């Protein structure tokens, strides 16, 4: 079933509980949580304390997207503080296979993320083991950027490989998702759509959520 995951990067950090509860009230059951380290990406977001705090106020699924170098140092702690799904960038580690195993051994869903310039070929041998693949549809680091349309071809290729091999990973996209790009991505086989600024800036979030899946 196709899902919209609000990215809390676009929430009001002074009112995080209010914004999370509002999303819950309109039917959201998964949250996308962006962790940025100021090295892998040119921005710093938040880390363990924020995730620990919001873990106390909701039981919904936490999908933690690590935009950090050396994810192998931190993955275990993100699992321990309440992530349900953890994804890391293939560009950020030489030990992707080991990391996938570690995340899964903690009973969590393991995802691999591809920056816009990275080909699917780079993760070919990981595809049988991965729970989800996140195709970045903007350059990671900031909310509110424009969707990179060339990524539609990458999504199509990945969906084809999935079908040909009977793989059962999910395909996720992140960045620049609005009503138009959501439809284009879903038509290419995307299962999980992260949506930040478009959803949080909407005056009628409930209707917007419905529109995003129409
Ligand atoms: C970007 C983040 C995204 C971001 C998406 O690096 O990974 O999750 O919040 O925001 P929008 O939907 O505004 O492009
Ligand atoms: Zn993200």
């Amino acid at each position: 079933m196709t899902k919209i995951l609000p990215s809390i990067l676009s929430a009001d950090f002074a009112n995080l509980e209010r914004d999370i509860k509002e999303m819950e009230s309109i039917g959201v059951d998964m949250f996308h949580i962006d962790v940025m380290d100021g090295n892998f990406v040119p921005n710093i977001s938040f880390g363990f304390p924020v995730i620990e705090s919001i873990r106390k106020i909701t039981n919904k699924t936490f999908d933690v997207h690590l935009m950090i170098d050396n994810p192998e140092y931190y993955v275990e702690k993100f699992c321990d503080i309440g992530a349900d799904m953890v994804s890391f960038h293939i560009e950020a580690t030489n030990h992707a296979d080991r990391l996938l195993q570690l995340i899964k051994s903690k009973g969590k869903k393991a995802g691999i993320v591809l920056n816009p310039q990275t080909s699917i070929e780079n993760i070919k041998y990981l595809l049988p083991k991965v729970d989800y693949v996140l195709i970045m549809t903007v350059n990671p680091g900031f909310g509110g950027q424009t969707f990179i349309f060339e990524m539609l071809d990458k999504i199509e290729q990945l969906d084809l490989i999935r079908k040909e091999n009977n793989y059962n990973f999910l395909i996720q996209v992140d960045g620049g998702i609005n009503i138009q790009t959501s439809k284009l991505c879903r038509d290419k086989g995307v299962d999980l759509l992260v949506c930040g600024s478009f959803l949080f800036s909407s005056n009628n979030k409930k209707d917007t959520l419905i529109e995003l899946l129409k």
Side-chain angles (χ1 to χ4, degrees):
M1 195 182 136
T2 317
K3 299 242 178 189
I4 302 292
L5 289 75
S7 170
I8 64 158
L9 191 63
S10 291
D12 175 358
F13 287 175
N15 291 289
L16 216 37
E17 179 167 14
R18 179 202 66 191
D19 283 5
I20 286 171
K21 291 290 166 196
E22 183 185 15
M23 287 295 163
E24 280 188 8
S25 75
I26 62 170
V28 160
D29 59 10
M30 298 170 91
F31 288 96
H32 182 80
I33 300 177
D34 288 309
V35 177
M36 304 178 185
D37 68 352
N39 283 301
F40 182 71
V41 286
N43 196 9
I44 298 175
S45 56
F46 50 77
F48 303 122
V50 170
I51 298 174
E52 283 171 309
S53 298
I54 59 172
R55 183 69 289 177
K56 292 180 193 142
I57 61 156
T58 177
N59 295 321
K60 303 299 183 197
T61 299
F62 279 1
D63 167 39
V64 176
H65 172 195
L66 298 178
M67 282 162 276
I68 63 173
D69 281 326
N70 302 312
E72 50 275 12
Y73 298 161
Y74 306 103
V75 148
E76 197 159 3
K77 180 149 182 189
F78 283 106
C79 292
D80 290 341
I81 63 168
D84 302 290
M85 303 163 61
V86 179
S87 65
F88 59 88
H89 278 255
I90 191 68
E91 305 87 2
T93 181
N94 291 319
H95 304 287
D97 187 85
R98 183 186 295 155
L99 266 177
L100 287 177
Q101 290 181 46
L102 176 60
I103 297 167
K104 290 169 101 162
S105 75
K106 301 291 263 180
K108 315 293 183 178
K109 300 283 183 215
I112 292 203
V113 194
L114 304 181
N115 273 341
Q117 88 278 4
T118 306
S119 295
I120 295 165
E121 183 64 24
N122 293 49
I123 59 164
K124 180 178 170 187
Y125 297 105
L126 302 168
L127 290 176
K129 305 175 186 176
V130 75
D131 293 309
Y132 61 113
V133 177
L134 167 49
I135 295 187
M136 288 307 299
T137 41
V138 296
N139 288 295
F142 303 92
Q145 302 181 84
T146 305
F147 185 88
I148 300 173
F149 285 88
E150 287 78 8
M151 295 303 103
L152 291 170
D153 175 61
K154 198 195 279 189
I155 297 164
E156 193 174 346
Q157 276 187 46
L158 185 60
D159 186 44
L160 194 64
I161 294 171
R162 175 167 67 171
K163 284 180 179 138
E164 282 172 357
N165 296 279
N166 281 318
Y167 291 148
N168 47 26
F169 58 80
L170 297 178
I171 303 178
Q172 185 179 46
V173 289
D174 184 9
I177 295 300
N178 55 34
I179 288 162
Q180 180 213 4
T181 54
S182 167
K183 175 94 177 81
L184 292 170
C185 289
R186 283 179 289 124
D187 287 348
K188 298 279 184 201
V190 169
D191 309 286
L192 304 171
L193 298 113
V194 176
C195 188
S197 51
F198 186 76
L199 181 58
F200 279 94
S201 66
S202 161
N203 292 326
N204 188 334
K205 297 183 179 55
K206 193 176 169 109
D207 283 356
T208 301
L209 197 64
I210 294 165
E211 289 288 320
L212 281 165
L213 287 174
K214 249 189 197 160

